[in-house]
Amino acid sequence: MQALHGDGIIQWAASAVTAPSAMVMYEQTNPHDRFGKVMVKNLAERGCPLLSVYDYPSMEAQKERFLARGWSRCQVKDMNEIYRSHLDQSEVERIHKLELMDEFEEWHLIQGHYFVLTASRPEECSWVHNFNIFNPKTEAAEEN
């Protein structure tokens, strides 16, 4: 989707919905590094061009995108952070023993180019941010 259209949906959802609300987005990021350039090219060749990735090339740019369009709170984490901080590490170790994956460097490179964003409004609408995706056990204990 082109950035103009996505921006319109983000702003519309923030202003048209009167009840406390949230949006969750899973998206690509970092199109300017070597891997990002290949990712963008490969997806375009498969008929899935990333039409707004250059308008919002970083997680911080995406966060500002939502805050500037009426969302009160926004959090963003790349998939590496979610993998490291929000998965049960004993389960991760168990799966690693089952799946003898030897390309962790490449896998982490890929995961650094995808993120999950949550945005909410009004300010006191914090329920969506209390899921373990954004509050690992140490952060969740501090916030409560």
Side-chain angles (χ1 to χ4, degrees):
M1 179 181 301
Q2 293 176 346
L4 175 68
H5 301 297
D7 291 347
I9 292 169
I10 292 165
Q11 188 163 351
W12 170 83
S15 62
V17 179
T18 58
S21 55
M23 285 186 81
V24 177
M25 183 171 80
Y26 176 72
E27 194 67 69
Q28 298 86 3
T29 189
N30 302 325
H32 297 297
D33 66 17
R34 200 166 99 191
F35 180 85
K37 290 174 184 176
V38 172
M39 172 185 71
V40 170
K41 181 178 180 268
N42 284 342
L43 288 168
E45 288 173 355
R46 288 168 175 74
C48 187
L50 303 177
L51 300 177
S52 63
V53 74
Y54 292 110
D55 293 293
Y56 300 102
S58 68
M59 294 188 309
E60 187 60 33
Q62 288 283 3
K63 181 177 179 178
E64 291 303 318
R65 177 187 197 185
F66 278 77
L67 294 174
R69 286 168 179 77
W71 294 89
S72 304
R73 188 170 175 195
C74 187
Q75 292 177 294
V76 186
K77 299 267 178 140
D78 74 21
M79 296 311 293
N80 279 320
E81 177 66 21
I82 291 171
Y83 175 81
R84 281 190 304 270
S85 301
H86 306 289
L87 299 181
D88 180 336
Q89 291 305 303
S90 63
E91 185 66 9
V92 170
E93 289 175 22
R94 185 186 73 77
I95 292 169
H96 283 206
K97 290 176 184 172
L98 295 174
E99 297 286 331
L100 299 174
M101 189 165 144
D102 59 353
E103 297 296 329
F104 278 108
E105 185 176 320
E106 182 179 343
W107 188 81
H108 285 294
L109 181 64
I110 294 167
Q111 300 312 304
H113 286 78
Y114 289 84
F115 66 88
V116 174
L117 173 147
T118 61
S120 63
R121 54 156 292 285
E123 181 65 36
E124 52 279 353
C125 178
S126 64
W127 60 269
V128 72
H129 302 282
N130 291 333
F131 291 115
N132 284 338
I133 288 178
F134 291 103
N135 296 314
K137 293 172 181 81
T138 55
E139 286 180 24
E142 292 171 8
E143 285 190 13
N144 293 332

